[in-house]
Structure formats: structure tokens, C-alpha cells
């Protein structure tokens, strides 16, 4: 067993085992007992004196939080693969390392991506509501909840990283034709997965389903806007399990309202949580999930293990630390 180090480690929200056990045996662990987001003033107060902070999406980790933690802060461990909630430049300036949880959530997120494709294409949410609402009056009906075929259709993947690649693999089981666009062309994967590289414009024109798998940064901000949506087929769907800021949400709403495209399956939004008045919630051709791409018991547990081990391995100077900076 490791000799405990008395450093304070602050975890901004309750995480599953084995995360807490890994940390509490080695550090002075302080963890918010609740899973919902901390108020800003509490976050600032609770990180005081911490050597490591484990944070979640929705916790804005900027210079004020780093100031409050003080000069001891050495590690910001993201309980996520995405790190757009952390001011990386500020962390670099202060020689704080920022870590994340790669490799453990891609399959789970790819599964959810496929759920969104199927649910949006086959109108499943509206059909379920119809049954529950007691509106199913006439048994089998020739035109009840007609949707679109997924099998044999064309899937356009934007961003062929870990998750995009796993979505492409799943598409083979549905006999889909897969085209992709990525910052870097991945020739080795093209033959392995039978996928074709195309320009973003061609991808949008040809796809029946456009699935987004890029990270959020200044290059991807509003990458999908009115001009890009206008290239899509009237019968096509946009699926987004990456980050909301990649799509200009106002343009998407306008396109859906005007039937420029057939629908959207979204797990992420420009601002989360979305408000009840967000017009996406009023459109029947959207499937809206509350950012649950990685939300399975198994994966959240693995994420907790990796995020905790990033801290342990840094301070005990061994093993893998998944550093971003
Ligand atoms: C991530 O890890 O970035 C996902 O969005 C949530 O698990």
C-alpha cells in the first residue's frame, strides 16, 4: 500500500467507485457529496489549498478557480475526455497539468450515437409518446409513424477520432456506406473500415445521416451553420454527440422549422442545460438527450478510475498520466 501524502484533493461532484477509494487511501480527499453542479462561489471556496482538483463538464475552471486553489495546485483532472471547460492556456502559464479520460468512453458514446441515429430516423420518441398517451386507437396502420431506413443509407462522419472510428465500425453492421471528413486523412483506416474520405461539402451533400465527432475549439466553432446545412438533403438528419458549439443552434432550428433537413438527434447543446423555452424542444423532428454519451454504470466507473489514477500517478511519479498539456 502507498504511503499516504497529506495533500488535499478536491472532487467537485460525487463520482462512482473506485474513484473515491483510490483517492481517499492516499490523499486528504474532499468530495462534494452531490452530483449536481456546484454554485460558482462554492467551487471557488472549496478548491482552496488543493493540490489536485477533479472537475466535471459544467465546472468552469478558469484563472479565478486556479487563484483560489493557490500555488499548490499541480493537477486538474477532468472526469471527461473533453476539456473545453478548463482554461488550458492559464493552466500552462501556471505549470498546472490538465488530464482527461481517453480510451474508456468511446464505445459507450458510439453506442449512443447509433441510438440517436435509429431513434431519430424511425421516429421512436413520438411513437412511444403516442402509445403512452393512449392515442393508439386503430392497431396496425399503413402510414403510422413512417420513418427513414438506416440500413443501406449513407453515413457521413465528421471527425474520425476514437469515437468517429467506432461509429464507422458499427455502421458496417447496418450495411451503411460510410464517408468521412477529418482534419487529417486516415488512409490506413479507409481500407480497414471500407470508408471514403471526402470534403466537408461533399459529405454534407451525400449523407443521409451526418454524425459529428470533433472536439470543441476555435476551428470547430459553428462549423455547421446555415451555409453548411443548406447543402444537406431534405431527408437527412444531423446527429451530434460531441459538443454543442460545433453547430450554430439558431441556424439548425431555422433549418428544422423550414424543413431544410428531416431531423436532428442531439446529446449536446450550445448552452447546457438547455432552457425549456429552447425551440428545439418544440420541434417534433428532434430527439434530445441530456448529454449522456458516456452514461453507463461501467463506463462512468472506468472514467472515475482513470481520473483518480491520473492524480495518483502524477504525485507518486509512476504509471500513466493522460496529460492534455
Ligand atoms: C466527455 O467525456 O467529454 C463527454 O462529453 C462526457 O463524458
Amino acid at each position: 500500500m502507498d504511503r499516504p501524502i497529506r495533500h488535499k484533493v478536491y472532487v467537485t461532484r460525487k463520482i462512482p467507485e473506485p474513484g473515491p477509494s483510490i483517492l481517499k487511501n492516499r490523499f486528504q480527499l474532499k468530495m462534494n457529496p452531490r452530483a449536481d453542479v456546484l454554485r460558482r462561489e462554492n467551487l471557488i471556496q472549496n478548491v482552496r489549498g488543493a493540490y489536485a482538483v477533479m472537475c466535471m463538464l459544467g465546472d468552469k475552471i478558469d484563472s479565478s478557480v486556479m487563484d483560489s486553489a493557490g500555488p499548490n495546485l499541480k493537477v486538474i483532472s477532468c472526469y471527461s475526455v473533453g476539456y473545453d471547460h478548463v482554461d488550458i492556456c492559464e493552466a500552462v502559464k501556471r505549470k498546472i497539468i490538465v488530464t482527461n479520460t481517453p480510451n474508456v468512453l468511446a464505445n459507450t458514446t458510439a453506442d449512443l450515437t447509433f441510438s440517436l441515429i435509429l431513434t431519430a430516423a424511425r421516429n421512436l420518441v413520438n411513437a412511444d409518446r403516442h402509445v403512452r398517451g393512449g392515442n393508439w386507437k386503430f392497431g396496425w396502420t399503413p402510414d403510422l409513424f413512417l420513418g427513414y431506413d438506416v440500413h443501406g443509407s449513407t453515413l457521413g462522419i465528421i471527425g474520425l477520432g476514437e469515437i468517429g472510428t467506432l461509429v464507422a465500425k458499427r455502421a458496417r453492421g447496418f450495411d451503411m456506406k460510410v464517408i468521412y471528413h477529418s482534419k487529417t486523412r486516415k488512409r490506413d483506416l479507409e481500407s480497414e473500415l471500407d470508408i471514403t474520405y471526402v470534403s466537408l461539402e461533399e459529405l454534407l451533400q451525400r449523407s443521409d445521416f451526418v454524425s459529428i465527432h470533433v472536439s470543441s475549439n476555435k476551428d470547430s466553432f459553428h462549423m455547421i451553420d446555415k451555409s453548411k446545412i443548406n447543402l444537406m438533403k431534405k431527408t437527412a438528419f444531423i446527429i451530434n454527440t460531441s459538443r454543442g458549439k460545433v453547430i450554430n443552434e439558431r441556424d439548425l432550428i431555422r433549418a428544422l422549422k423550414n424543413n431544410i433537413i428531416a431531423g436532428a438527434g442531439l446529446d449536446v447543446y450550445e448552452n447546457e442545460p438547455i432552457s425549456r423555452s429552447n425551440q428545439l424542444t418544440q420541434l417534433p423532428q428532434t430527439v434530445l438527450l441530456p448529454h449522456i454519451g458516456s452514461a453507463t454504470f461501467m463506463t462512468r466507473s472506468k472514467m472515475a478510475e482513470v481520473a483518480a489514477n491520473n492524480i495518483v500517478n502524477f504525485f507518486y511519479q509512476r504509471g500513466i498520466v493522460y496529460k492534455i498539456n
Side-chain angles (χ1 to χ4, degrees), residues 6 16 26 35-36 68 72 85 171 184 252 266 269 271 291 322:
R6 296 311 299 158
R26 296 178 171 91
D36 49 347
S68 172
N72 289 338
H85 52 301
T184 29
L252 174 63
L266 307 174
Y269 308 88
N271 293 301
H291 203 149
Y322 291 102

Side-chain angles (χ1 to χ4, degrees), residues 57 80-82 105 243 291 294 300 303:
L57 304 179
S80 56
V81 77
L105 54 82
R243 285 293 183 268
H291 203 149
S294 62
R300 287 286 161 84
M303 288 165 67

Side-chain angles (χ1 to χ4, degrees), residues 57 78-85 100-101 105 109 163 241-243 267-268 272 291-295 299-300 303:
L57 304 179
C78 299
Y79 179 69
S80 56
V81 77
Y83 45 86
D84 44 313
H85 52 301
N100 72 344
T101 61
L105 54 82
T109 307
I163 300 173
T241 52
S242 64
R243 285 293 183 268
D267 187 39
V268 290
E272 295 177 8
H291 203 149
I292 54 168
S294 62
T299 293
R300 287 286 161 84
M303 288 165 67

